[in-house]
Amino acid sequence: MSDGDRDKRRNSREDKEGIMRTENYVTILERYDGTLARILDRTYLRLRETGCSPDEEVSAAVTYTVMPVLLYFVEWVLQQAKKEGKRRLYFLARDGYLMYHMAKQLCREYGITIECRYLYGSRYAWRIPEYHLDWKSCVEKMCLGGLRV
């Protein structure tokens, strides 16, 4: 058997194992939290429809393994905002895009009346007000690279 044939068999076996793991995650999620499973199903379908991920198995794995953590975080943020009497939440551009959509779905699912908005702006644009409010500590950050800010 050639090395190429061995690689194909190994990849095929790993693909099947990956699909089985994802299906197990989906089953666990459905038993644990049906609402979460429905939201993740919608998210997964949106990913597939928009062609965000060319690899269906990767899309499924990310949707059903990584995204529950993010979704529970967004749910916690909404509950905290509700407890503190907040009426509106802003999700900042780029990093908050996915969380914004999750929050809107959670608000619909659970009847939460907090308004969720997506706020466009660059990291640089957010630094200017920060500099105004706390100039001394911001001077130290001015020359940092983008990843360290």
Side-chain angles (χ1 to χ4, degrees):
M1 178 180 291
S2 73
D3 288 341
D5 290 337
R6 280 192 201 97
D7 287 342
K8 284 180 186 176
R9 281 186 58 208
R10 186 178 330 114
N11 289 340
S12 175
R13 185 179 69 240
E14 289 171 359
D15 289 346
K16 288 177 185 173
E17 289 171 1
I19 291 168
M20 288 173 46
R21 262 189 250 113
T22 302
E23 288 172 359
N24 286 339
Y25 278 118
V26 172
T27 303
I28 292 166
L29 285 170
E30 286 171 344
R31 275 186 285 179
Y32 180 71
D33 189 336
T35 301
L36 172 71
R38 281 193 305 278
I39 290 171
L40 292 174
D41 284 342
R42 282 187 229 131
T43 304
Y44 174 69
L45 290 174
R46 185 176 299 138
L47 280 174
R48 297 301 304 146
E49 287 169 359
T50 59
C52 283
S53 174
D55 186 339
E56 189 170 345
E57 287 76 28
V58 171
S59 292
V62 168
T63 301
Y64 294 105
T65 59
V66 176
M67 289 180 66
V69 175
L70 188 56
L71 191 63
Y72 277 124
F73 172 71
V74 172
E75 183 178 27
W76 176 82
V77 167
L78 287 170
Q79 294 303 325
Q80 289 298 115
K82 186 177 174 183
K83 189 165 52 172
E84 294 174 14
K86 307 289 185 202
R87 292 179 292 163
R88 183 179 301 138
L89 285 177
Y90 288 94
F91 295 84
L92 299 182
R94 295 188 323 193
D95 298 340
Y97 183 74
L98 188 56
M99 290 181 278
Y100 162 70
H101 285 287
M102 289 177 163
K104 285 177 39 177
Q105 286 187 46
L106 286 169
C107 286
R108 273 194 305 272
E109 263 323 302
Y110 294 125
I112 298 171
T113 57
I114 295 173
E115 179 184 2
C116 298
R117 290 190 179 180
Y118 185 66
L119 189 60
Y120 295 93
S122 67
R123 288 183 179 102
Y124 180 72
W126 300 124
R127 283 188 221 154
I128 293 170
E130 180 185 18
Y131 294 161
H132 173 73
L133 294 172
D134 188 5
W135 176 254
K136 190 174 182 178
S137 70
C138 290
V139 169
E140 297 172 5
K141 296 179 188 176
M142 279 188 179
C143 295
L144 291 177
L147 293 175
R148 294 188 57 213
V149 172

